[in-house]
Amino acid sequence: MTVKEQIVEGALELFKKMGIRAVTMDMLAESLGMSKRTIYENFSNKDEIVEACVRIVNEKMKDMAKEILGKSEHYIETYIMFMWVHINRIRGVNPLFMHDIKKIYPKTISKQAGEIDHFLREKMVEFIEKGKKENVFRSEVNPHIVANVVYEFSKLIRNRFETGTNTLSNFPLEDVFEHMAINFIRGLSTVKGIELVEYYYNKHKSTKTNS
């Protein structure tokens, strides 16, 4: 691992634990066991480090997606595995991390969120259409409406980091996400589909961490 990669990985861990605003360059240097001069030789400022952290998070998400797609035996299992991975990611990140990115670095989060939302809607349409053909999802389900419901739900999850924006702020975000994600797919499913959902939901439930 290069020095630049060490800095990004170290910064990302601190940002996830404390939020971005709370982390100073002095704290980062101390955590990494290197001088601030070394950090500034690789990055002009903290903003550049944040941008690099967002990029590495996206790359890790892509790698994780490839791994899940390679492991899952059915697209319902793929959905469930993605659900648990996302829940565990939520549990492992201080809400201030996303709050600070959205407030302090709006261009960064807007660009990345836009790319993810577009991809999400496109893949959700394909997912629903495939399920309808195989009688896993109900025939009357409109894939495009469903895709946009998922999009709006993703915005709701992001807005959860803003205190007082909605009544869901009273509940742990990971519990809200799990409740919505599992009941969402149950609502789309036929009897055959529900059996698959329950099977894979219980199969992977142990992957939920307690930390």
Side-chain angles (χ1 to χ4, degrees), residues 175-189:
D175 291 349
V176 173
F177 183 83
E178 179 183 349
H179 189 84
M180 295 296 292
I182 192 62
N183 286 301
F184 173 78
I185 196 168
R186 283 171 178 155
L188 301 177
S189 299

Side-chain angles (χ1 to χ4, degrees), residues 20 22 28-30 33-34 48 88 90 101 103 109 127 132 136 139 150-151 154 173 180-181 183 185 193:
I20 296 172
L28 178 57
E30 182 179 354
M34 63 176 64
E48 283 190 7
N88 288 330
I90 291 171
I101 286 181
K103 286 295 186 183
I109 192 62
F127 175 69
K132 288 175 67 176
V136 170
S139 60
V150 173
Y151 168 66
S154 70
L173 182 57
M180 295 296 292
N183 286 301
I185 196 168

Side-chain angles (χ1 to χ4, degrees), residues 74-81 127 136-137 185 189 193 196-198 200:
H74 192 280
Y75 53 91
I76 294 294
E77 183 175 27
T78 302
Y79 177 94
I80 297 296
M81 291 174 74
F127 175 69
V136 170
F137 298 135
I185 196 168
S189 299
L196 287 167
V197 170
E198 296 309 312
Y200 289 118

Side-chain angles (χ1 to χ4, degrees), residues 83-97:
M83 182 189 79
W84 286 125
V85 166
H86 192 65
I87 287 168
N88 288 330
R89 286 183 67 246
I90 291 171
R91 290 168 66 87
V93 177
N94 188 321
L96 286 174
F97 176 57

